[in-house]
Amino acid sequence: MARIRYAARTEAEIAAARTASGQLPDIWSTGVVAVWETDPDAVAAVLPPPLEPTARPLVRANISKVDLPGYPLGAGSVAVAAEHGGVEGWYPLVMPMTHERALIGGREVFGEPKKLGEVEVERDGLAVRAALARHGIAFVEVRGAVSGPLPLPEPAQKTDFYFKFLPAVDGSGFDADPVLVHCVRNEKVRKLEQITGDVVLRESMYDPIADLPVRTVVGITIGEKTTDQKGRVVERVSAQALMPYIHQRYDDPQQILDGPPEGSA
């Protein structure tokens, strides 16, 4: 009988997949990072407890292209500076990905707020343009010109905060208390240049990053880097406290409240 592909995998196949995933070579991406200062009240408003604002109300847009063999990937995020338990890091509000594979792993394993979207990183000589778009709207666009090289930073660890949860089957909340994840990334940079330019935010009902206006551009760079990441659950959080923020992850917030119709089996 031909193999049934939905059938259970053998222990040997599972072990081989785990071994292969742990032996991936460094994967380098080319990306634009823009950091700006926004309104403190806006940052405080988007942070679910127990996350707290840092001393400076910063927003970071990261827009990258990854040249995976036969599988080029666009990846981006827009995050606000946050702190938890003495650890400073970033809380992403949206993470557009151009392929489903990158989206599913991040959402299901780490609780990342990934969505399918369009990611553009273009360079023509010194001119650079990068953008994140969904539903035909480039809600973040970075434009400028390379103004010179920057010293390469030492390898560093950076932390992102995620909330991992499953909406309840009956539409009443969550199946279990959500968890707060600290995701630690080890980052190495092999090329870094400064960009003189600006950040344009466009109104989008699906990705309202325009609510975090650009007050001061702190810095814009373009560079080549590689990262690996490991996550850990640091605590369970209050379902009641997190529920008002869950709409951040969905284009249609009503989706997570859709319980089964009465009388359905």
Side-chain angles (χ1 to χ4, degrees):
M1 183 178 72
R3 173 160 185 180
I4 307 302
R5 286 168 288 180
Y6 275 134
R9 299 165 78 187
T10 66
E11 290 186 8
E13 289 172 323
I14 294 172
R18 287 174 177 162
T19 299
S21 67
Q23 296 176 341
L24 292 174
D26 287 345
I27 298 173
W28 294 88
S29 64
T30 299
V32 170
V33 177
V35 177
W36 66 91
E37 191 167 307
T38 190
D39 295 335
D41 290 346
V43 172
V46 301
L47 289 176
L51 300 183
E52 297 180 345
T54 57
R56 197 173 182 190
L58 298 178
V59 186
R60 180 193 67 188
N62 195 328
I63 308 170
S64 299
K65 286 285 192 177
V66 188
D67 290 325
L68 297 175
Y71 194 78
L73 169 69
S77 70
V78 181
V80 296
E83 184 270 340
H84 174 254
V87 177
E88 289 198 359
W90 297 90
Y91 173 61
L93 297 169
V94 62
M95 301 178 70
M97 301 284 134
T98 57
H99 292 297
E100 187 180 41
R101 181 178 180 183
L103 183 151
I104 290 175
R107 283 181 72 104
E108 295 189 1
V109 176
F110 295 101
E112 295 172 331
K114 289 183 172 180
K115 299 178 180 180
L116 286 174
E118 295 80 52
V119 179
E120 297 179 87
V121 180
E122 304 167 348
R123 179 168 181 172
D124 184 6
L126 297 179
V128 174
R129 176 186 175 275
L132 300 175
R134 298 181 66 253
H135 301 287
I137 303 169
F139 59 91
V140 176
E141 182 177 2
V142 182
R143 306 176 299 199
V146 174
S147 52
L150 291 170
L152 295 183
E154 293 294 322
Q157 285 192 340
K158 298 182 178 181
T159 301
D160 280 353
F161 305 116
Y162 305 121
F163 292 94
K164 184 176 180 179
F165 59 84
L166 283 175
V169 173
D170 62 4
S172 64
F174 302 105
D175 277 333
D177 285 341
V179 295
L180 174 60
V181 174
H182 283 201
C183 184
V184 178
R185 289 183 168 82
N186 295 296
E187 182 178 284
K188 294 186 293 185
V189 179
R190 69 182 182 186
K191 184 177 181 180
L192 192 64
E193 296 172 285
Q194 183 173 320
I195 292 176
T196 300
D198 57 9
V199 178
V200 177
L201 306 180
R202 295 187 178 89
E203 174 58 32
S204 169
M205 63 179 290
Y206 303 104
D207 304 287
I209 300 302
D211 291 350
L212 301 165
V214 180
R215 298 306 186 206
T216 304
V217 174
V218 176
I220 306 174
T221 61
I222 183 169
E224 297 176 8
K225 68 181 179 182
T226 184
T227 61
D228 61 46
Q229 68 182 48
K230 291 183 178 180
R232 65 184 182 93
V233 173
V234 294
E235 65 175 270
R236 290 199 173 271
V237 301
S238 163
Q240 183 177 4
L242 183 61
M243 179 56 73
Y245 298 87
I246 297 308
H247 67 93
Q248 295 172 351
R249 195 167 300 189
Y250 298 91
D251 287 351
D252 179 5
Q254 192 64 31
Q255 180 179 355
I256 62 169
L257 303 175
D258 288 341
E262 289 188 10
S264 64

